[in-house]
Amino acid sequence: KSPEAKAKAFVEALPEALSPLGGLQPYELVIGKTKIFARAGVMNLLDKARDIALSGYTVDIQRVWRGYAARKTLASCKEVFDELKQWCSRNNFYQQPGSDHTAVAKLNTPAAVSAEVRVLQELLVRAEKLPLPVPRRKEVEKVMQRMQNEVKEITNLKAISKTTDPMEIEKALNRLKDLELPKTAEAAELADRLEKLKIQLPLVKAMQLA
């Protein structure tokens, strides 16, 4: 089609296209040799029609974006929660009483226990940013706290390895007992020293008073 024919077709179709907005009369548009002349009211209708057309695309874009964002968030939740599930399965401690079911007994060293605690802490930090609550969070944090206590008390044994204070030794051994920690060489040595101190200290005191 020639440009003139296209312009004529456009002008003829425009009243029907703008009818939802109130329409227009044929005389409100005039085709010139090189331009189409329109009244101000027609231009206002065209601006409104453009805004409506663009709003439709905007709604579609927002809908697609919200769907993408929701899928991405759910994928992040699944990833973190799956890692938490694996951590719980790997660190399934304290299900039964006894020293055989402690973290140190199963992981062998305080360093290994601390490493697992750090992994869990990092997972919980990531979980804090998610919109969904962490499954079994209180239970998981309780396990983590007990693991930290195990490391703390075992480390404390080394710190008091040379002490001659019977009360300090007895308190440390009682904390180990409360945590059901397995007997170690350090604990056995401190227990032996405690028994000797219970005998030696009264003798020393008696000699000093003599």
Side-chain angles (χ1 to χ4, degrees):
K1 290 183 179 181
S2 65
E4 293 80 4
K6 291 180 180 180
K8 184 178 180 181
F10 170 77
V11 169
E12 290 175 351
L14 198 56
E16 182 180 354
L18 295 178
S19 59
L21 299 175
L24 54 83
Q25 299 299 323
Y27 60 81
E28 293 182 290
L29 288 172
V30 178
I31 301 176
K33 289 185 178 181
T34 59
K35 297 179 181 179
I36 297 176
F37 299 93
R39 292 187 175 183
V42 176
M43 299 308 298
N44 290 334
L45 288 177
L46 289 172
D47 287 339
K48 290 180 181 179
R50 180 195 61 191
D51 292 342
I52 291 173
L54 291 177
S55 68
Y57 289 116
T58 302
V59 170
D60 288 340
I61 292 170
Q62 289 175 339
R63 174 176 53 78
V64 172
W65 171 254
R66 284 195 296 267
Y68 166 77
R71 288 191 297 273
K72 186 176 180 180
T73 298
L74 288 176
S76 298
C77 290
K78 185 177 185 304
E79 179 183 355
V80 173
F81 293 165
D82 283 348
E83 290 184 38
L84 276 170
K85 184 178 180 180
Q86 292 171 10
W87 188 94
C88 291
S89 178
R90 190 170 65 246
N91 297 282
N92 190 26
F93 312 127
Y94 319 124
Q95 299 301 308
Q96 299 179 38
S99 60
D100 291 339
H101 304 287
T102 60
V104 170
K106 293 188 176 183
L107 297 177
N108 299 321
T109 66
V113 176
S114 294
E116 287 293 342
V117 167
R118 286 193 296 272
V119 171
L120 178 58
Q121 289 172 333
E122 291 172 2
L123 284 173
L124 291 177
V125 169
R126 290 166 58 192
E128 284 289 341
K129 302 175 183 178
L130 301 176
L132 299 178
V134 178
R136 300 166 55 196
R137 176 159 192 154
K138 289 185 178 180
E139 181 181 340
V140 171
E141 288 180 337
K142 186 177 179 180
V143 169
M144 179 177 69
Q145 183 61 54
R146 187 164 174 180
M147 292 171 69
Q148 290 174 317
N149 288 340
E150 287 188 22
V151 173
K152 178 182 176 182
E153 295 308 325
I154 291 176
T155 304
N156 184 53
L157 286 184
K158 296 179 181 179
I160 65 170
S161 60
K162 303 299 182 182
T163 186
T164 56
D165 184 344
M167 291 187 64
E168 188 176 11
I169 296 173
E170 190 167 11
K171 287 180 180 179
L173 293 176
N174 285 336
R175 288 194 294 267
L176 294 181
K177 184 178 179 181
D178 290 340
L179 290 170
E180 299 183 306
L181 289 174
K183 293 180 180 180
T184 62
E186 291 89 348
E189 182 180 344
L190 284 172
D192 182 61
R193 185 185 306 160
L194 179 61
E195 293 303 317
K196 291 178 179 178
L197 287 171
K198 286 180 179 180
I199 297 172
Q200 293 172 356
L201 289 178
L203 293 175
V204 171
K205 188 174 181 181
M207 292 174 63
Q208 289 174 343
L209 295 175

